[in-house]
Amino acid sequence: MDMGLFDQATNLFDMFVSNDQSEEQKTLANRAGLSSSDFSKVAALGLPAILQGINRNTNDKAGNEDFNSALKQHEDVDQYQSIKQLSSEVDPQDGDNILGHIFGNKDGVTNRISNTVGLSSSDVKKVLVLLAPIVMKYFADRKKEKNLDNTGVQQETGSILGQLSNSVKNYSKNNSNSFDMGDVLG
């Protein structure tokens, strides 16, 4: 069986948030024009926010259909040999469009994350537009690998969100800049 770029979501969180300074994290931090630690702070809230937004959308029939058709567009993107390559080539314009679909009001989420981590809204947005297409590619790969239908995708988003919540709790325990995911999404 062909392994996708990602093996599990907690790796997604650990890759972009943990203090190990992974190559992918450094690449994205450089693209966002931020230090790795600032990038991590935003990603620690941004990834769960994106996932919660996706999960909320997939719990609605029309939202779930929209999400599944969006995944089809990202499913065919097999030109990436590694997550590092995906990180260096991810399209921020695509990310901006994705955030619009996921959140509707992306400024509200951006501002809440900005207030929580103490960085400007524009810095927060620079991180989110890079993370969103990576999350979409992640779900597109899961859908393809597991041959998920719309209901399967909905269950998968819920399951991944659960795994991610645990990573966030562990991260908050081990870092001075702890925060509550619930506060960010309002």
Side-chain angles (χ1 to χ4, degrees):
M1 171 151 159
D2 183 31
M3 279 304 289
L5 286 182
F6 311 97
D7 31 7
Q8 61 184 41
T10 47
N11 288 355
L12 204 57
F13 185 86
D14 295 340
M15 185 179 306
F16 298 123
V17 178
S18 68
N19 299 326
D20 307 336
Q21 310 261 312
S22 70
E23 285 299 311
E24 295 82 6
Q25 184 191 27
K26 286 183 194 147
T27 300
L28 289 173
N30 285 340
R31 289 198 57 199
L34 297 172
S35 70
S36 283
S37 75
D38 282 348
F39 178 87
S40 277
K41 282 184 215 164
V42 176
L45 289 171
L47 274 171
I50 290 168
L51 277 161
Q52 282 183 328
I54 288 171
N55 194 45
R56 191 180 52 232
N57 290 347
T58 59
N59 282 318
D60 168 78
K61 191 170 171 21
N64 196 13
E65 285 169 15
D66 289 348
F67 183 65
N68 274 281
S69 63
L71 287 182
K72 283 210 183 358
Q73 296 164 16
H74 289 82
E75 204 170 83
D76 304 328
V77 188
D78 277 334
Q79 77 254 32
Y80 304 112
Q81 301 307 308
S82 66
I83 297 174
K84 183 174 192 278
Q85 182 189 6
L86 173 61
S87 300
S88 57
E89 295 176 16
V90 67
D91 177 7
Q93 191 55 56
D94 183 34
D96 195 43
N97 294 337
I98 293 167
L99 292 175
H101 288 293
I102 293 173
F103 297 128
N105 173 12
K106 53 191 170 194
D107 293 340
V109 174
T110 305
N111 292 335
R112 282 196 288 279
I113 293 174
S114 162
N115 294 335
T116 307
V117 298
L119 291 167
S120 74
S121 293
S122 67
D123 282 346
V124 169
K125 188 173 180 201
K126 286 181 209 164
V127 172
L128 297 182
V129 298
L130 293 173
L131 290 175
I134 293 173
V135 172
M136 289 301 285
K137 175 64 178 142
Y138 174 81
F139 278 112
D141 282 5
R142 298 293 275 208
K143 179 178 169 68
K144 201 168 167 181
E145 280 170 30
K146 294 182 164 192
N147 198 17
L148 300 172
D149 62 4
N150 287 12
T151 308
V153 167
Q154 182 185 357
Q155 291 166 341
E156 186 77 1
T157 59
S159 150
I160 302 283
L161 188 58
Q163 292 171 24
L164 202 73
S165 305
N166 292 333
S167 290
V168 171
K169 282 184 193 120
N170 292 336
Y171 175 80
S172 293
K173 261 192 287 208
N174 300 327
N175 286 277
S176 51
N177 57 332
S178 76
F179 41 71
D180 177 23
M181 256 170 61
D183 292 347
V184 176
L185 295 173

